[in-house]
Amino acid sequence: MNEEMKQLLDEIRAARNNDLNAPRRIADRTRTVSLIKKAQVVLLPGYYHYNNLTAEQALEELSEDLKGEISAALCFSGRNMTLAESLSEEFLKRLPRIMRILNTDIQAIYEGDPAAKSQAEVILCYPGFYAISIYRIAHELYELDVPYIPRIMTEYAHEKTGIDINPGASIGEYFCIDHGTGIVIGETARIGHHVKLYQGVTIGAKSFEKDENGHLVKGGKRHPDIGDHVVVYANATILGGDTRIGDHCTIGGNVWLLESLPPYTTIVHPVGEDQILTCPEGD
């Protein structure tokens, strides 16, 4: 490297905030994406392919590589790196559970979209399932308190599909995303079983509290709870940690909702007295 290039690098280093000077070991985005792809081969061989690996080979590499990436993530966050092996082993034990839940998601999307010709088409073609499958993997790592890696995974899915699901969100079985582009689901959202979301839906937070220094207060319940058998149509926005949407509700397109709804409620836009319909239970 010539002196001009060395000087340029020195200037970049001098300009960089000291907090951004990473240690030698750091969670790596490229290697984390490879973990996703190997997990996909393990879960759905034949539908997903990566480096010509068989499911057995993919599982072996996933086991070894996951330990290395978790170790790097723990190191970067200042935690005990020796936890990496036990966390990796626990995640691998959860793969059958992930697959069982993915089966329900595949069924929900297939049954929820008349354009879907088969469950195989859902796996191969649907961005909603692609994003959900990566979320399911990332969520288990989030539950194990693995730093960085879960968020890298779901942001990769976000990049590929336009669907932004925070790995901390809790989402029940038979989850259907139709079309999907522009969906946002926040970290503390809780979503029940048999829920269907269309494109552009936001399950987000209201304005955030600030401390005495004007800094955002982190943590706390910031995002809504959605009950079972709820349908949310395109571009609806549901906000707030104290917002509860009851079972069997239907949220119409473009609705802006900051309040809770009782079960069996249908709400459409524009909101007025004649646009909120509460149906008797079971009707």
Side-chain angles (χ1 to χ4, degrees):
M1 183 179 293
N2 62 39
E3 288 301 319
E4 186 176 344
M5 292 294 103
K6 289 180 180 178
Q7 182 179 350
L8 178 59
L9 278 177
D10 289 339
E11 290 176 4
I12 292 171
R13 294 188 185 104
R16 188 184 300 137
N17 187 313
N18 285 335
D19 292 340
L20 300 181
N21 289 324
R24 188 171 62 88
R25 289 180 62 77
I26 184 172
D28 181 83
R29 188 178 188 279
T30 300
R31 290 194 293 267
T32 297
V33 170
S34 77
L35 296 178
I36 295 171
K37 295 181 179 297
K38 289 169 185 175
Q40 289 172 327
V41 173
V42 172
L43 293 168
L44 288 163
Y47 292 96
Y48 292 106
H49 304 274
Y50 185 64
N51 289 348
N52 295 317
L53 295 172
T54 65
E56 292 77 12
Q57 292 168 333
L59 182 58
E60 289 181 2
E61 290 196 13
L62 177 63
S63 175
E64 190 62 31
D65 295 349
L66 184 60
K67 282 186 286 187
E69 286 310 295
I70 293 177
S71 177
L74 292 171
C75 174
F76 187 53
S77 62
R79 291 169 54 191
N80 188 347
M81 294 166 54
T82 61
L83 295 171
E85 184 167 0
S86 62
L87 289 172
S88 176
E89 289 175 356
E90 179 58 32
F91 171 78
L92 294 177
K93 290 177 184 177
R94 298 185 182 196
L95 286 173
R97 176 178 179 273
I98 293 172
M99 190 61 245
R100 285 192 292 269
I101 297 174
L102 287 177
N103 285 332
T104 72
D105 300 327
I106 294 166
Q107 182 178 345
I109 296 171
Y110 172 66
E111 293 178 352
D113 185 359
K117 302 300 188 295
S118 66
Q119 293 192 358
E121 184 179 8
V122 170
I123 300 168
L124 290 169
C125 305
Y126 276 57
F129 175 73
Y130 191 78
I132 291 168
S133 66
I134 293 175
Y135 155 78
R136 296 291 188 196
I137 294 166
H139 180 68
E140 294 301 329
L141 291 166
Y142 180 97
E143 288 289 292
L144 291 169
D145 199 25
V146 173
Y148 300 109
I149 293 172
R151 190 62 185 272
I152 295 173
M153 287 181 167
T154 54
E155 289 302 333
Y156 175 75
H158 183 195
E159 172 191 317
K160 293 297 181 182
T161 66
I163 299 167
D164 183 0
I165 309 175
N166 189 289
S170 176
I171 301 177
E173 298 179 5
Y174 296 92
F175 185 45
C176 174
I177 289 177
D178 200 343
H179 304 296
T181 305
I183 283 177
V184 176
I185 302 174
E187 180 183 27
T188 62
R190 292 195 292 257
I191 298 176
H193 304 301
H194 298 276
V195 170
K196 185 176 185 178
L197 306 183
Y198 285 83
Q199 68 273 17
V201 167
T202 296
I203 301 176
K206 297 179 184 178
S207 57
F208 299 106
E209 295 182 10
K210 294 184 179 180
D211 61 22
E212 62 276 9
N213 297 315
H215 299 138
L216 292 180
V217 176
K218 302 285 187 176
K221 182 75 168 74
R222 309 182 303 281
H223 306 96
D225 291 348
I226 310 295
D228 298 338
H229 298 279
V230 172
V231 179
V232 186
Y233 283 96
N235 300 313
T237 298
I238 308 170
L239 305 179
D242 55 355
T243 301
R244 308 285 184 268
I245 306 303
D247 297 346
H248 298 277
C249 282
T250 300
I251 314 299
N254 298 307
V255 164
W256 179 274
L257 190 59
L258 305 178
E259 299 178 356
S260 297
L261 294 178
Y264 293 94
T265 298
T266 296
I267 182 169
V268 297
H269 177 82
V271 177
E273 290 184 1
D274 58 341
Q275 275 82 43
I276 301 178
L277 309 172
T278 301
C279 301
E281 185 172 342
D283 285 5

